[in-house]
Amino acid sequence: MIPDKAPEDDVFHGAEEMRRGAHVPTFDKYKEMYTQSIEDPDKFWGDVAKDFFWKSKHTGRFLDYNFDVTKGEIFIKCMEGASTNICYNVLDRNVHDRKLGDKVAFYWEGNEPGDELTVTYRELLNCVCRFANVLRSQGVTKGDRVAIYMPMVVELVVAMLACARIGAVHSIVFAGFSAESLCDRIVDSQCSLLVTADGFYRGDKLINLKLIADEALQKCTDKGFSLGRCIVLKHLSKEAQETSLSSPPAKRPCPDLQETETGRVRKTRPVPQVPWNPEVDKCWHTLMGDVSDECEPEWCASEDPLFILYTSGSTGKPKGVLHTVSGYMLYTAATFKLVFDHRPDDVYWCTADIGWITGHSYITYGPLANGATSVLFEGLPTYPDVSRMWEIVDKYHVSKFYTAPTAIRLLMKYGSEPVHKYKRDSLKVLGTVGEPINPEAWQWYFTVVGDGRCPIVDTFWQTETGGHVMTPLPAATPMKPGSATFPFFGVVPAILNESGEELEGTSEGYLVFKQPWPGVMRTVYGNHGRFESTYFKKFPGYYVTGDGCRRDKDGYYWITGRIDDMLNVSVREKIGAIATPDFIQDAPALPKTRSGKIMRRVLRKIASGERDLGDISTLADSSVVEQLFHNRCCTAV
Ligand code: 6R9
């Protein structure tokens, strides 16, 4: 279908009242601040840094770097010489200096409606200190890697911040990954301890996480790597109720409860059988009962590692993306504040899983650094029914809501009725991340979910970038459906052609960045050469995103998707016979991860007829693969 108007001619503005009190109220203000951030990054980021606590001040340049492989090793350093602790900054500073101890940090909403828990900043700090002491009692010290394989529960945030408090490096593995993936990641980062849980429910489906974790540890042993300790949270078992997050009148999942306070009848759900190896396994609750709630943070150098997060693995062997303390802290804090135009009375909800970068940056670090109140949701958008999201929005009066195009498209299929069942009048800003949003889904999000009032921030970024790099600001930027609009402060994009020349004006090509911002990744863990060759070799002097991009006549950027996904239709003469397709296959759907990414390595295997697909545990719908294999057989080669 050819639209009668090009999407780039559609321009939208959020409601006028957004501007009142906004951090960046107008487009002119954005342009002015952007210019300052580029001309004097030290001043711009120095001002952001003033809000934080530094044990010692930085010496030398604020941001130092080399992006040019031909001139030597690639490096990025931010605030060298300074020391701080990110956990102290997101918790102690809020509780003690900003007097936010009684403010809610998280409204936890379980998979089952009625399962809920409210945690204040003071309570979170208390739990984090205790778990940090637990980690220390298990011999974890600064620089050690800790693998975390947990469902979306508050204890996942506790575990990551406890690592950060003692200077240990967390390596979170999405709880939807298989034993194989978990094992590969544990071995690659040589973790000394694993934190996991008994299990969890995804809708009606029980995931016996501990069984998978045990299988992963067995695989590690088979590969000659043995991990000494595994701490297990009893999330589903009954005893968790008495000993978990302590003080608040918690309603936690308790499988044999039939009736909740809200009067709903809850299904009786089986509890997983948890195998227990006393040599290795330690009970979270028992350990937490034995430690003090005071814990002096470890003061870390700015460039000390904070965490490793493996990229989604859509392009072969996963890369352990490494982020460091100070730059990541400044960047996630600043992007969260400005991109969601954060206000103290907001209730913010990001539906991503903490197992992905979106959850790291915009459930844990960015919101907590700003003293925000967030919803932490364990469940699915479609369970128990397709109104769940909007029910939660009304329940907690969510004002800023952040999700993925794949979720929007899924809900769109059910029409507007399930959305209109709820008021949603608390909503002020809507966000999207993960893949390009098609204008149709954008329109639906804008008109049906946001009632035409709420600006949409289409945030383009990557695990590697640490935080948003191309994005509208809600009160300032006129929006175009499907465009990530303009760069965030301190970010300098360029579009290159195949020969590496920068293209001006209206153009299309490779999206690259010309200089670092504080939150950009520092290396691929244990493989700096792979970092250099993946991101810096193709076009020396630039960070190469791997995404294609178009700039329109008004200077708006439109991300067109991963470069290696695209077929160049001019194909044979320009590129050469090597780029001619062997055959063209009809594909009713593509194999996508649950976060909406196309799994290219699976496509490659299907193309070559190879049945062994490796780890496909993050596939959203595995029947797609079968369908593609079937179509392949029917295609004349
Ligand atoms: C944050 C995250 C990164 C890749 C990225 C791009 C795609 C993310 C997007 C988007 C168009 C957006 N992507 N946000 N494409 N518009 N707003 O998703 O990180 O899992 O590392 O994926 O996702 O292709 O290169 P990650």
Side-chain angles (χ1 to χ4, degrees):
M1 199 173 77
I2 300 165
D4 43 358
K5 191 160 69 159
E8 63 188 57
D9 292 332
D10 262 343
V11 180
F12 289 77
H13 300 265
E16 188 56 36
E17 61 254 32
M18 262 311 295
R19 291 177 189 246
R20 227 173 297 127
H23 296 299
V24 186
T26 62
F27 196 47
D28 282 341
K29 182 72 185 164
Y30 159 76
K31 286 190 275 194
E32 179 194 320
M33 285 173 69
Y34 179 76
T35 308
Q36 287 167 358
S37 76
I38 300 309
E39 286 175 355
D40 193 354
D42 292 15
K43 160 93 174 64
F44 187 88
W45 296 110
D47 284 346
V48 174
K50 281 184 191 148
D51 282 345
F52 293 92
F53 175 79
W54 305 93
K55 188 76 177 166
S56 63
K57 302 252 176 287
H58 75 281
T59 49
R61 295 186 59 181
F62 199 91
L63 254 176
D64 195 9
Y65 73 103
N66 171 38
F67 262 21
D68 189 341
V69 271
T70 64
K71 294 191 175 140
E73 196 168 283
I74 300 295
F75 73 91
I76 304 106
K77 288 177 185 162
C78 180
M79 297 188 77
E80 254 211 317
S83 62
T84 188
N85 182 285
I86 192 168
C87 174
Y88 182 92
N89 272 294
V90 305
L91 294 181
D92 309 56
R93 185 178 59 99
N94 283 327
V95 173
H96 301 306
D97 306 350
R98 302 178 71 202
K99 309 284 177 246
L100 298 178
D102 294 326
K103 191 174 179 187
V104 173
F106 289 109
Y107 290 115
W108 178 77
E109 170 83 10
N111 176 65
E112 204 66 37
D115 286 353
E116 57 190 45
L117 180 72
T118 298
V119 184
T120 64
Y121 273 86
R122 185 174 296 105
E123 287 157 353
L124 189 61
L125 172 61
N126 178 293
C127 286
V128 167
C129 286
R130 281 159 62 208
F131 197 65
N133 285 329
V134 165
L135 290 175
R136 279 185 174 152
S137 76
Q138 296 302 306
V140 178
T141 57
K142 185 163 184 248
D144 287 352
R145 276 81 54 216
V146 173
I148 302 178
Y149 185 58
M150 291 175 90
M152 284 285 283
V153 290
V154 177
E155 288 87 346
L156 168 54
V157 178
V158 170
M160 66 200 291
L161 292 178
C163 289
R165 192 167 192 88
I166 63 168
V169 181
H170 57 75
S171 173
I172 300 182
V173 181
F174 172 54
F177 272 129
S178 65
E180 178 108 39
S181 289
L182 176 59
C183 162
D184 288 348
R185 286 158 175 74
I186 288 173
V187 173
D188 188 78
S189 49
Q190 303 274 298
C191 295
S192 54
L193 186 138
L194 171 68
V195 188
T196 188
D198 48 0
F200 63 101
Y201 275 86
R202 241 181 99 76
D204 275 323
K205 196 173 162 209
L206 171 66
I207 313 289
N208 194 330
L209 205 64
K210 175 66 165 55
L211 265 189
I212 309 171
D214 280 352
E215 197 187 326
L217 295 190
Q218 184 56 50
K219 283 178 190 292
C220 291
T221 311
D222 296 346
K223 290 187 178 176
F225 180 80
S226 72
L227 183 143
R229 283 271 180 279
C230 178
I231 299 179
V232 186
L233 173 81
K234 290 181 179 159
H235 172 50
L236 291 182
S237 344
K238 233 176 143 187
E239 55 267 49
Q241 243 203 339
E242 292 107 52
T243 47
S244 190
L245 268 161
S246 68
S247 31
K251 288 191 277 168
R252 305 226 6 122
C254 182
D256 48 2
L257 265 187
Q258 288 287 321
E259 199 88 25
T260 70
E261 275 170 31
T262 47
R264 276 177 207 260
V265 176
R266 189 185 295 166
K267 289 180 195 141
T268 307
R269 294 166 303 174
V271 190
Q273 288 297 312
V274 178
W276 203 261
N277 174 359
E279 304 260 297
V280 178
D281 299 329
K282 300 277 165 197
C283 170
W284 170 293
H285 313 279
T286 313
L287 294 172
M288 288 287 265
D290 286 345
V291 288
S292 140
D293 58 10
E294 274 175 34
C295 175
E296 174 67 13
E298 185 79 42
W299 299 108
C300 300
S302 281
E303 286 300 331
D304 277 346
L306 173 63
F307 67 84
I308 299 166
L309 180 62
Y310 288 83
T311 52
S312 49
S314 55
T315 49
K317 187 181 181 293
K319 293 181 281 284
V321 169
L322 186 99
H323 284 285
T324 54
V325 175
S326 297
Y328 180 81
M329 175 168 84
L330 298 183
Y331 201 68
T332 52
T335 45
F336 177 80
K337 177 178 169 183
L338 301 177
V339 172
F340 296 107
D341 192 35
H342 178 66
R343 319 277 177 106
D345 56 354
D346 271 339
V347 177
Y348 161 84
W349 179 21
C350 166
T351 70
D353 194 287
I354 292 180
W356 309 120
I357 190 67
T358 305
H360 280 61
S361 300
Y362 300 113
I363 294 180
T364 302
Y365 291 108
L368 293 178
N370 283 275
T373 295
S374 298
V375 174
L376 180 67
F377 179 45
E378 185 191 25
L380 295 174
T382 50
Y383 180 84
D385 59 55
V386 293
S387 285
R388 184 74 190 273
M389 306 285 243
W390 323 120
E391 183 187 345
I392 296 174
V393 165
D394 278 7
K395 177 174 172 181
Y396 297 104
H397 306 288
V398 172
S399 50
K400 312 281 162 83
F401 178 74
Y402 194 28
T403 196
T406 178
I408 298 164
R409 282 194 298 267
L410 171 76
L411 295 175
M412 210 172 124
K413 285 190 197 146
Y414 298 93
S416 52
E417 192 262 339
V419 187
H420 287 155
K421 264 169 68 182
Y422 292 91
K423 294 209 300 272
R424 295 156 287 105
D425 54 354
S426 53
L427 287 174
K428 294 203 169 85
V429 175
L430 303 173
T432 145
V433 57
E435 52 172 324
I437 182 165
N438 49 311
E440 197 193 357
W442 193 102
Q443 293 281 4
W444 189 82
Y445 199 26
F446 186 72
T447 43
V448 178
V449 176
D451 288 328
R453 269 181 300 115
C454 309
I456 294 183
V457 286
D458 177 352
T459 61
F460 166 81
W461 59 296
Q462 308 175 300
T463 306
E464 295 86 336
T465 68
H468 309 138
V469 280
M470 306 290 290
T471 178
L473 300 182
T477 316
M479 301 163 282
K480 293 190 182 189
S483 167
T485 71
F486 298 101
F488 187 74
F489 303 119
V491 173
V492 186
I495 297 180
L496 305 187
N497 65 14
E498 191 61 46
S499 344
E501 290 151 353
E502 278 189 33
L503 303 175
E504 302 295 331
T506 313
S507 49
E508 182 164 353
Y510 292 86
L511 177 66
V512 299
F513 295 112
K514 297 168 73 158
Q515 61 186 52
W517 53 94
V520 68
M521 73 183 285
R522 302 302 199 253
T523 191
V524 168
Y525 184 77
N527 196 344
H528 198 67
R530 188 160 179 219
F531 173 57
E532 296 183 330
S533 60
T534 310
Y535 305 100
F536 295 94
K537 214 168 195 164
K538 189 170 173 71
F539 301 119
Y542 302 95
Y543 167 88
V544 182
T545 61
D547 285 294
C549 185
R550 186 165 64 79
R551 191 168 37 221
D552 73 17
K553 56 183 180 0
D554 304 316
Y556 280 68
Y557 290 85
W558 301 72
I559 311 295
T560 50
R562 304 293 302 168
I563 298 273
D564 41 10
D565 279 349
M566 282 183 272
L567 187 71
N568 192 329
V569 284
S570 61
V571 176
R572 197 179 183 102
E573 294 90 61
K574 280 198 184 158
I575 302 179
I578 196 162
T580 316
D582 293 329
F583 60 93
I584 291 173
Q585 174 175 334
D586 174 35
L590 293 172
K592 286 192 177 187
T593 64
R594 285 182 210 155
S595 53
K597 312 270 195 279
I598 299 168
M599 293 181 84
R600 289 178 295 281
R601 71 180 163 83
V602 171
L603 280 181
R604 269 194 294 275
K605 294 222 168 163
I606 294 170
S608 62
E610 204 181 316
R611 278 271 166 184
D612 176 14
L613 298 178
D615 188 353
I616 52 166
S617 49
T618 52
L619 257 187
D621 177 4
S622 51
S623 69
V624 169
V625 173
E626 279 317 309
Q627 224 175 345
L628 289 174
F629 269 119
H630 175 79
N631 286 14
R632 184 176 193 279
C633 305
C634 309
T635 312
V637 181

